[in-house]
Amino acid sequence: MAIYNTQVVSEHEDGAISRAVELLRAGNLVAIPTETVYGLAADATEHCAVQHIYSVKGRPSNNPLICHVSGIEMAKSYVEVPPLAEKLMQRFWPGPLTLVLTRLQTATVSPAVSAGLSTLAIRCPAQHTTRQIIAGLGHPVAAPSANLSGKLSPTCAKDVEITLGGKIPMILDGGTTSEGIESTIIGVRDERLYLLRPGTVTPDEITEAIGLPVYDRDDTEISAPGQMLSHYAPDAHVRMNATEAHEGETLIGFGAIEGSFTLSPDGDLREAARNLFKRLRDADKTDTKTIAVAPIPNHGVGIAINDRLKRAAAPRKNQ
Ligand code: TXA
Ligand code: MG
């Protein structure tokens, strides 16, 4: 694999957007900020560049990527957009909601983006600079989270530099992400909605906005590969629902449970989501064997936080 002198470029620097566009156009990978986590982007229509994402991340080839578009019009060139999906786009885009829709026969994105599936996961990020890059490129960018497969997702440019420095030519620094965890993924099929991955756009908000229930992932045939159990893992083991630290553990608190670090002293679930990966990284740096995490209420955004924690706590391969 090529070795790069990775440039970390502020989104405010003159020419930053055009540099990112030029690199993508030439088939390179660029790490980009989004409001959820940083993504490792390639021009989705460049097959070799998309395959390169899998090799840089060490990602299994059956785990499909999300296609990021600059708006609804661009989405319509790549996927079928039934009225229900269009309503969701109008209400929640740009923002942290990904829709899994039927890929158009004419879609020019590499088949590697969707790992050979007939569907495509598509989202329009709220991060303004990233939308400008996509619009400048004129193609969607395929972008998984910019971490090594199975590890914690990056919420600032520094996190990306630590793991992908030397492996890609450019990291665009857009500051710390506002949501902190990956987008909600909704599958749309036969006028029904299915929650494939929880995020900060909650099923309750979706139901409130469009008056339809959101069904569980287990109730659909929609294939959701990549939702493997062990994921988002720090080096240390993770113990959930901890009310205190056992001998040798580092405790991450929430609300009244204090700990060495806290996700949110006030028990605010959105703040906790924003801090989740950062605090897991901080706790990992203490070289503890086990990170204990206080109970997180399992409602609203808490469902997404518990989903990530369950995967961080799951048994891992080779361990
Ligand atoms: O917030 C996010 O979604 C971030 C930022 C960078 O946009 N991206 C992200 O990508 O979380 P990644 O690769 O870490 O997760 C993508 C997940 C896959 O693991 C898979 O579960 C789902 O999206 N996915 C992608 N394409 C799919 C498809 N065609 N059908 C079902 N699930 C799909
Ligand atoms: Mg990921």
Side-chain angles (χ1 to χ4, degrees):
M1 221 178 274
I3 298 172
Y4 293 93
N5 174 16
T6 305
Q7 306 287 306
V8 181
V9 181
S10 163
E11 64 175 332
H12 304 298
E13 205 172 285
D14 278 350
I17 293 174
S18 52
R19 266 167 80 188
V21 170
E22 286 318 313
L23 282 166
L24 290 166
R25 192 165 280 150
N28 293 289
L29 305 189
V30 176
I32 50 165
T34 83
E35 71 281 22
T36 58
V37 300
Y38 274 67
L40 179 60
D43 180 333
T45 66
E46 290 287 338
H47 185 63
C48 288
V50 172
Q51 282 186 317
H52 197 196
I53 292 180
Y54 286 88
S55 58
V56 166
K57 273 186 66 100
R59 183 177 178 105
S61 59
N62 62 354
N63 185 1
L65 312 175
I66 294 173
C67 239
H68 297 67
V69 291
S70 55
I72 298 178
E73 283 319 303
M74 188 184 273
K76 284 181 172 170
S77 303
Y78 298 91
V79 287
E80 280 175 21
V81 181
L84 179 55
E86 182 145 10
K87 265 195 211 163
L88 286 171
M89 290 171 178
Q90 270 158 359
R91 168 66 182 76
F92 292 101
W93 281 12
L97 177 70
T98 296
L99 300 174
V100 173
L101 296 166
T102 303
R103 180 192 167 110
L104 291 177
Q105 295 282 343
T106 50
T108 50
V109 295
S110 155
V113 172
S114 49
L117 297 171
S118 58
T119 50
L120 200 60
I122 201 148
R123 100 171 181 94
C124 177
Q127 225 281 350
H128 186 62
T129 311
T130 287
R131 277 210 316 285
Q132 285 181 291
I133 291 171
I134 300 166
L137 183 66
H139 293 156
V141 299
S145 46
N147 52 310
L148 298 179
S149 186
K151 297 293 187 182
L152 294 171
S153 300
T155 54
C156 63
K158 191 83 206 157
D159 293 345
V160 181
E161 196 182 7
I162 289 167
T163 44
L164 299 184
K167 297 186 169 131
I168 55 175
M170 178 176 175
I171 298 168
L172 187 73
D173 186 350
T176 299
T177 65
S178 62
E179 304 297 298
I181 56 173
E182 300 82 354
S183 60
T184 302
I185 306 182
I186 294 286
V188 184
R189 180 167 286 186
D190 302 332
E191 297 293 299
R192 278 189 177 217
L193 305 177
Y194 298 92
L195 181 66
L196 304 181
R197 179 175 72 185
T200 56
V201 173
T202 63
D204 287 350
E205 275 178 278
I206 292 173
T207 297
E208 199 174 305
I210 58 166
L212 285 177
V214 178
Y215 295 95
D216 220 58
R217 189 172 77 208
D218 300 339
D219 299 333
T220 173
E221 306 288 289
I222 302 175
S223 160
Q227 297 295 314
M228 61 273 279
L229 203 52
S230 174
H231 212 105
Y232 313 113
D235 291 335
H237 289 277
V238 172
R239 182 169 72 87
M240 294 176 70
N241 297 315
T243 48
E244 57 187 13
H246 294 165
E247 172 87 37
E249 288 183 343
T250 295
L251 179 66
I252 300 181
F254 175 81
I257 297 178
E258 281 183 11
S260 312
F261 305 96
T262 179
L263 292 177
S264 166
D266 302 328
D268 176 332
L269 289 169
R270 287 197 170 269
E271 181 180 30
R274 195 177 307 130
N275 287 331
L276 180 66
F277 291 131
K278 165 111 182 66
R279 296 291 176 266
L280 285 169
R281 276 175 210 278
D282 291 341
D284 226 9
K285 282 186 204 138
T286 66
D287 278 335
T288 183
K289 280 216 166 66
T290 303
I291 301 169
V293 186
I296 306 297
N298 205 37
H299 57 74
V301 176
I303 295 170
I305 298 173
N306 283 321
D307 168 80
R308 304 307 190 272
L309 286 172
K310 259 183 242 158
R311 291 171 207 278
R316 300 167 196 173
K317 270 193 218 150
N318 311 322
Q319 276 188 41

